[in-house]
C-alpha cells in the first residue's frame, strides 16, 4: 500500500512541477458572460432546503474560501419542490443556484425521486415497493418507491420535467444527477408480471426457456408464463440471472423515463449522470450506463483506511462504465455514520483520496456533505462545517485540496487515462459465483483484487472493462473469474489472442453459458481448443496448499483447479505441491502460444506471494516499457 501511494505522490509532484510554468489563474466571469468552470472541480452536497435562507450566504462564503466550485443540490427535496400534487415551488431553488453562482459555485441538480413526499405515498400507496415477504415499504426513510410502477414513473417524469424546464438552460447548472444510488427492487405482483413479459420477449417460447434453464430438474417445467416466480439468492441459476437482468433493464428504463424529459428540455452541454456505488452489484452497471453522458460514483472507505488497490480498482471500474473520465459524486469528509466503526481518516488521508481519484481519471471530487442536518437519520456523519456552522478541523485540508486543484486544473484539462493492461469484469460472473460460492470465503471482488493489486504495482494504469469491449489497445488482458462466458465474449477473447494479445484466465473461468447453465465442455468451455488444455476437476480448499513453478512459489487458498495440458505446445507454468492426493504434482497454471498471441489459465487462487513472485520475461518487458510517471497523457 505504502509503495503504491508513494509512487502516486511522486507522479503527482512530477505532474504539478512540470506544468507549473503553464498555470493560468482561474477566474469566474460575471453573470452576463458564459461562466468558465475549472477542469477539475471540488464540490460538496448542499441542502439549502434544510436551512433558513438567511444562512445560505454564510455557507457559500465558507465554501468559496475552501475552493469549492460545485454544489450538488436537490436530490431529496421533493416535498419542498412539490408541496402538493401539481403545485410546484422552484423559486427557492432558483435563488439557491443564483446565490451559489455569486460565489463562483456551479450547481449539479439532483432529481428528487429517491424520496417521494408523504402526500404522494398516501394518495398512491401502490407506488410503495414490496419486500419479498409481501410487506409494503412505509414512508419515513428513502428509496421506498417501486422502480417498475407506472404511476410512480408518471409522477417522477412530471417533477423531472418541471425542474428541467426551469433550469435546463441555466449556465450555472453543469448537469443532472438522476435519483440517488439505485438499489431497492420490488417484488409486488405487477413487477412480477412485467418480469414474465420480459422473459417472453427474451426467450420467445416456453420450450426455449425450459430448455435453457433445464427445468426438467425438480419438475420446474413451466406451462404458462404466469407460473414463473421471482427468485433471488437461491433458485434455478437461469432464473436468478434473468431476474438480475430484468432488474438492470428496469433501472435503465426507470432512469430513461426521467432522462428523456431532461434531455428534451436542457442544453446539451449539461451532462446527465447518476451516482453509482463502486462494486455494488444490485444491477448491471454497464446496462444502466448506456444512456448516460458521464459515470459517477460515491467513494466511501467506511471503516478503516484508504487501500489504494481496492479503491483504485473501484475508480477504474467506474471509468470503464463509459470508458472515459468520471466523477466522484460523493466522498467522505473524514468519516461516515453507517460503518461498524466510524473511524476518521487520518490527517492528510482525505487529501490523498482526492488526488488518488484525480490520478485515476476523476474530473470532480465532491464531499458528502457540507453540514449535517440538525435532525434526520445521518446526524453523526462527517461534514465540513459543524452544527454551529463554523469549520471543523478537516476544513483546512479541504481548503488545501481546493488550492491544489485550482493550480493543477489547467494542466489536467483535456487529459484522460490510457492503459495497456485490462481486467475483465462481468456482473453475470460475479452473481453466478455469489449464488454458488462453493467455498463460503470465496468473494468474486476479492478475486479481482487479488489480480489487480500485483498488476497495479507493475503497470502505470489498469482498465476494468466488460468482456465484450474492444481489446486491441491492450498488451495484456486478465479475466480473473469469468465464470459466465457468452458466445460473443468468447469470440472477442479468441480474436484478441489470435491477433497477438496475451489473455490470462483466472480460476472459475468459462464454466457457465449465457443462461448460467454449465458449459457442455470442461472449463474454459469454448476456449479449450485455443488453450490446448482444460480443467479436469475443481476443488474447494479447507487449507492452503503449496504451488511452485516458473513464477516462483506461493500458496493456493480457497480454490484449486487441476489442469491438464493436452496440446504439445501447451506448457505447464506452475504445479501443486503435496495436498489432497488428487492435486499433488498436477498443473496449476498452463499457457499456450498462439501465433504472436498467448493464452494462459491460472487454476488456483494464489496468495500475494504467489501472485507477485518473480515475473516472467514478458512481464519484465512490460514493466520496462511502462512510463514511470502517473501523468495522464493528452
Ligand atoms: C450515500 C448517499 C448519501 C448519504 C451518504 C452517507 O452515498 O447517497 O445521501 O446518505 O451515503 O455516507
Amino acid at each position: 500500500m505504502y509503495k503504491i501511494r508513494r509512487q502516486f505522490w511522486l507522479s503527482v509532484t512530477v505532474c504539478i512541477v512540470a506544468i507549473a510554468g503553464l498555470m493560468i489563474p482561474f477566474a469566474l466571469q460575471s453573470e452576463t458572460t458564459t461562466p468558465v468552470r475549472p477542469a477539475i472541480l471540488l464540490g460538496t452536497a448542499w441542502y439549502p432546503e434544510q436551512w433558513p435562507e438567511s444562512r445560505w450566504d454564510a455557507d457559500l462564503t465558507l465554501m468559496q474560501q475552501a475552493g469549492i466550485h460545485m454544489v450538488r443540490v436537490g436530490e431529496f427535496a421533493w416535498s419542498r419542490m412539490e408541496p402538493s400534487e401539481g403545485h410546484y415551488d422552484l423559486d427557492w431553488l432558483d435563488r439557491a443556484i443564483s446565490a451559489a453562482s455569486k460565489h463562483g459555485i456551479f450547481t449539479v441538480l439532483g432529481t428528487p425521486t429517491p424520496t417521494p413526499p408523504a402526500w404522494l405515498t398516501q394518495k398512491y400507496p401502490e407506488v410503495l415497493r414490496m419486500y419479498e415477504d409481501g410487506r409494503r415499504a412505509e414512508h419515513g426513510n428513502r428509496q421506498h418507491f417501486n422502480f417498475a410502477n407506472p404511476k410512480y414513473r408518471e409522477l417522477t417524469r412530471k417533477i423531472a420535467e418541471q425542474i428541467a424546464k426551469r433550469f435546463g438552460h441555466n449556465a450555472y447548472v453543469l448537469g443532472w444527477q438522476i435519483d440517488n444510488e439505485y438499489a431497492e427492487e420490488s417484488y409486488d405482483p405487477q413487477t412480477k408480471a412485467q418480469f414474465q413479459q420480459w422473459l417472453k420477449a427474451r426467450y420467445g417460447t416456453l420450450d426455449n426457456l425450459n430448455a435453457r434453464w433445464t427445468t426438467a430438474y425438480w419438475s420446474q417445467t413451466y406451462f404458462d408464463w404466469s407460473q414463473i416466480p421471482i427468485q433471488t439468492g437461491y433458485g434455478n441459476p437461469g432464473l436468478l440471472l434473468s431476474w438480475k437482468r430484468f432488474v438492470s433493464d428496469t433501472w435503465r428504463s426507470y432512469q430513461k423515463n426521467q432522462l428523456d424529459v431532461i434531455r428534451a428540455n436542457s442544453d446539451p452541454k449539461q451532462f446527465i449522470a447518476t451516482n453509482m456505488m463502486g462494486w455494488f452489484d444490485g444491477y448491471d452497471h454497464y446496462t444502466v450506463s448506456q444512456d448516460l453522458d458521464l459515470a459517477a460514483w460515491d467513494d466511501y472507505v467506511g471503516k478503516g483506511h484508504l487501500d489504494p488497490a481496492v479503491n483504485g480498482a473501484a475508480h477504474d471500474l467506474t471509468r470503464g462504465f463509459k470508458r472515459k473520465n468520471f466523477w466522484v459524486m460523493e466522498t467522505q469528509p473524514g468519516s461516515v455514520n453507517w460503518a461498524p466503526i466510524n473511524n476518521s481518516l487520518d490527517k492528510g488521508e482525505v487529501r490523498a483520496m482526492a488526488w488518488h481519484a484525480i490520478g485515476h481519471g476523476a474530473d470532480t471530487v465532491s464531499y458528502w456533505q457540507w453540514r449535517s442536518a440538525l435532525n434526520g437519520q445521518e446526524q453523526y456523519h462527517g461534514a465540513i462545517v459543524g452544527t454551529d456552522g463554523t469549520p471543523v478541523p478537516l476544513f483546512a485540508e479541504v481548503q488545501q485540496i481546493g488550492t491544489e486543484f485550482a493550480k493543477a486544473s489547467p494542466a489536467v484539462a483535456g487529459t484522460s487515462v490510457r492503459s495497456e493492461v485490462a481486467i475483465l469484469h462481468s456482473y453475470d460472473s460475479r452473481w453466478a459465483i455469489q449464488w454458488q460460492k462453493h467455498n463460503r470465503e470465496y468473494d468474486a471482488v476479492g478475486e479481482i483484487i487479488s489480480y489487480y493489486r500485483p498488476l497495479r504495482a507493475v503497470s502505470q494504469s489498469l482498465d476494468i472493462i466488460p468482456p465484450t469491449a474492444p481489446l486491441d489497445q491492450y498488451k495484456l488482458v486478465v479475466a480473473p473469474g469469468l465464470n459466465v462466458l457468452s458466445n460473443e465474449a468468447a469470440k472477442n477473447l479468441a480474436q484478441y489472442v489470435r491477433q497477438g494479445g496475451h489473455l490470462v484466465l483466472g480460476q472459475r473461468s468459462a464454466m457457465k453459458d449465457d443462461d448460467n447453465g454449465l458449459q457442455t465442455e470442461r472449463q474454459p468451455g469454448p476456449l479449450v481448443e485455443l488453450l490446448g488444455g482444460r480443467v479436469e476437476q475443481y476443488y474447494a480448499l479447507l487449507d492452503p496448499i503449496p504451488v511452485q513453478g516458473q513464477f516462483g512459489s506461493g500458496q493456493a487458498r480457497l480454490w484449486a483447479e487441476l489442469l491438464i495440458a493436452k496440446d504439445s505446445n501447451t506448457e505447464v507454468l506452475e504445479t501443486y505441491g503435496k495436498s489432497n492426493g488428487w492435486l499433488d504434482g498436477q498443473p496449476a497454471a498452463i499457457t499456450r502460444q498462439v501465433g504472436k498471441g498467448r493464452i494462459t489459465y491460472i487454476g488456483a487462487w494464489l496468495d500475494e506471494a504467489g501472485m507477485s513472485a518473480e515475473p516472467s520475461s514478458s512481464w519484465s518487458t512490460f514493466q520496462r516499457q511502462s512510463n514511470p510517471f502517473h501523468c495522464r497523457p493528452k
Side-chain angles (χ1 to χ4, degrees):
M1 167 174 161
Y2 176 64
K3 191 173 161 212
I4 295 174
R5 194 184 293 176
R6 194 178 52 177
Q7 238 179 8
F8 167 71
W9 278 113
L10 173 71
S11 310
V12 168
T13 311
V14 169
C15 289
I16 292 176
V17 170
I19 51 82
L22 300 173
M23 286 173 188
I24 50 163
F26 162 73
L28 191 80
Q29 297 165 11
S30 79
E31 269 191 278
T32 48
T33 59
T34 312
V36 178
R37 51 153 291 194
I40 47 174
L41 283 169
L42 191 64
T44 187
W46 180 44
Y47 298 97
E49 72 276 17
Q50 294 170 7
W51 304 98
E53 216 166 310
S54 55
R55 167 71 208 181
W56 292 357
D57 202 58
D59 279 318
L60 292 163
T61 304
L62 280 169
M63 287 181 207
Q64 190 175 11
Q65 284 167 14
I68 285 172
H69 284 296
M70 186 279 282
V71 282
R72 193 199 56 181
V73 168
E75 82 279 18
F76 301 123
W78 196 341
S79 58
R80 184 74 194 273
M81 295 176 182
E82 190 182 358
S84 62
E85 188 169 5
H87 296 110
Y88 299 99
D89 176 7
L90 300 175
D91 292 350
W92 66 273
L93 190 51
D94 212 341
R95 291 195 298 276
I97 294 168
S98 163
S101 75
K102 295 198 173 83
H103 291 270
I105 297 173
F106 293 87
T107 296
V108 169
L109 273 178
T111 65
T113 53
T115 48
W119 62 256
L120 190 157
T121 51
Q122 184 179 48
K123 186 167 177 194
Y124 306 106
E126 72 273 23
V127 307
L128 291 166
R129 71 186 167 85
M130 190 175 274
Y131 299 103
E132 277 190 272
D133 62 9
R135 283 178 307 122
R136 288 250 179 221
E138 288 185 356
H139 197 85
N141 272 304
R142 56 181 170 182
Q143 300 178 323
H144 41 300
F145 64 88
N146 174 357
F147 69 157
N149 181 269
K151 186 72 198 174
Y152 195 64
R153 292 197 176 188
E154 179 196 319
L155 295 163
T156 55
R157 193 176 170 94
K158 280 186 180 159
I159 184 75
E161 184 176 29
Q162 289 293 322
I163 314 171
K165 280 188 167 152
R166 181 77 178 253
F167 303 109
H169 294 275
N170 185 319
Y172 283 94
V173 174
L174 292 177
W176 300 83
Q177 174 189 302
I178 295 180
D179 207 275
N180 191 77
E181 294 188 342
Y182 310 141
E184 302 295 347
E185 301 162 5
S186 183
Y187 308 97
D188 61 291
Q190 215 180 358
T191 304
K192 186 164 140 186
Q194 288 185 25
F195 174 48
Q196 290 157 348
Q197 282 306 311
W198 182 95
L199 289 170
K200 198 170 175 184
R202 180 176 171 91
Y203 288 98
T205 64
L206 281 168
D207 283 350
N208 184 33
L209 178 145
N210 282 320
R212 302 292 308 169
W213 293 3
T214 323
T215 53
Y217 175 82
W218 284 0
S219 205
Q220 288 169 359
T221 312
Y222 297 108
F223 303 92
D224 190 280
W225 296 99
S226 65
Q227 295 160 352
I228 304 174
I230 295 175
Q231 288 183 323
T232 64
Y234 187 68
N236 178 296
L239 172 51
L240 293 175
L241 184 54
S242 292
W243 170 251
K244 274 298 177 201
R245 287 176 174 160
F246 165 78
V247 165
S248 307
D249 283 353
T250 305
W251 278 123
R252 184 180 177 193
S253 61
Y254 172 82
Q255 173 178 270
K256 193 149 192 315
N257 176 52
Q258 295 185 44
L259 187 144
D260 284 348
V261 88
I262 295 172
R263 205 75 95 209
N265 290 288
S266 62
D267 190 312
K269 281 200 258 359
Q270 293 181 339
F271 67 79
I272 305 180
T274 192
N275 53 336
M276 296 174 164
M277 292 185 274
W279 292 108
F280 174 70
D281 69 351
Y283 58 89
D284 188 317
H285 291 48
Y286 299 112
T287 300
V288 170
S289 297
Q290 280 180 59
D291 305 312
L292 299 171
D293 300 314
L294 177 78
W297 79 291
D298 297 344
D299 180 6
Y300 290 97
V301 170
K303 174 172 171 278
H305 291 278
L306 171 65
D307 177 331
V310 174
N311 210 58
H315 284 313
D316 295 345
L317 171 77
T318 308
R319 197 179 65 246
F321 295 150
K322 296 301 294 179
R323 306 199 71 189
K324 61 179 192 183
N325 292 2
F326 61 98
W327 277 30
V328 172
M329 194 63 98
E330 296 182 15
T331 190
Q332 69 190 65
S335 61
V336 298
N337 68 316
W338 43 259
I341 300 175
N342 297 295
N343 65 287
S344 178
L345 297 175
D346 290 345
K347 197 169 183 184
E349 206 172 351
V350 165
R351 177 172 171 248
M353 275 189 77
W355 280 109
H356 189 231
I358 302 300
H360 280 263
D363 285 341
T364 292
V365 174
S366 183
Y367 293 100
W368 197 94
Q369 59 177 330
W370 175 249
R371 184 177 176 183
S372 290
L374 296 180
N375 220 321
Q377 278 87 326
E378 295 172 300
Q379 290 169 308
Y380 276 81
H381 201 284
I384 302 172
V385 295
T387 50
D388 63 346
T390 66
V392 299
L394 182 71
F395 184 93
E397 192 168 317
V398 173
Q399 201 167 32
Q400 183 184 356
I401 300 164
T403 308
E404 291 172 350
F405 274 17
K407 276 189 191 165
S409 249
V412 177
T415 62
S416 57
V417 174
R418 292 277 175 273
S419 308
E420 294 178 328
V421 181
I423 287 190
L424 303 184
H425 159 263
S426 97
Y427 290 92
D428 292 354
S429 295
R430 276 174 59 194
W431 290 323
I433 291 175
Q434 177 68 23
W435 290 320
Q436 297 182 77
K437 290 178 166 212
H438 212 61
N439 180 333
R440 71 169 180 204
E441 307 295 326
Y442 210 102
D443 166 39
V445 174
E447 182 182 354
I448 292 170
I449 301 296
S450 77
Y451 284 82
Y452 182 96
R453 195 183 291 280
L455 280 169
R456 181 64 188 82
V458 296
S459 60
Q460 180 189 350
S461 171
L462 294 171
D463 284 353
I464 298 183
I465 51 171
T468 47
L471 301 173
D472 337 347
Q473 79 181 74
Y474 302 109
K475 291 183 177 167
L476 179 65
V477 169
V478 182
L482 200 53
N483 197 245
V484 172
L485 184 69
S486 66
N487 291 339
E488 190 194 351
K491 256 192 218 155
N492 194 35
L493 299 188
Q495 184 180 320
Y496 170 69
V497 172
R498 291 215 170 85
Q499 289 177 350
H502 186 168
L503 171 70
V504 177
L505 295 166
Q507 66 277 11
R508 296 183 85 153
S509 283
M511 191 178 192
K512 303 287 199 70
D513 67 18
D514 202 27
D515 288 287
N516 208 6
L518 293 169
Q519 299 270 9
T520 48
E521 285 177 283
R522 306 272 184 88
Q523 293 163 254
L527 300 174
V528 164
E529 211 183 306
L530 200 65
L531 179 65
R534 68 180 198 184
V535 173
E536 287 295 281
Q537 181 62 58
Y538 53 83
Y539 300 91
L541 299 181
L542 279 173
D543 300 306
I545 58 176
V547 175
Q548 64 270 313
Q550 289 188 33
F551 284 96
S553 51
Q555 291 199 309
R557 50 185 207 92
L558 306 179
W559 197 264
E561 288 165 345
L562 190 171
L563 303 179
I564 183 168
K566 291 197 159 204
D567 189 276
S568 54
N569 290 330
T570 305
E571 299 164 58
V572 175
L573 291 173
E574 297 277 308
T575 52
Y576 296 105
K578 178 118 198 69
S579 62
N580 61 2
W582 303 109
L583 288 162
D584 301 10
Q586 297 298 319
I590 58 178
T591 188
R592 178 164 178 260
Q593 177 134 14
V594 182
K596 287 189 175 158
R598 176 172 288 281
I599 176 168
T600 300
Y601 192 103
I602 301 176
W605 184 323
L606 294 171
D607 64 358
E608 274 193 62
M611 278 295 204
S612 51
E614 196 55 28
S616 74
S617 55
S618 61
W619 281 31
S620 307
T621 310
F622 173 74
Q623 204 174 357
R624 274 199 306 279
Q625 286 168 350
S626 293
N627 178 348
F629 301 123
H630 206 90
C631 290
R632 300 190 298 176
K634 289 251 183 203

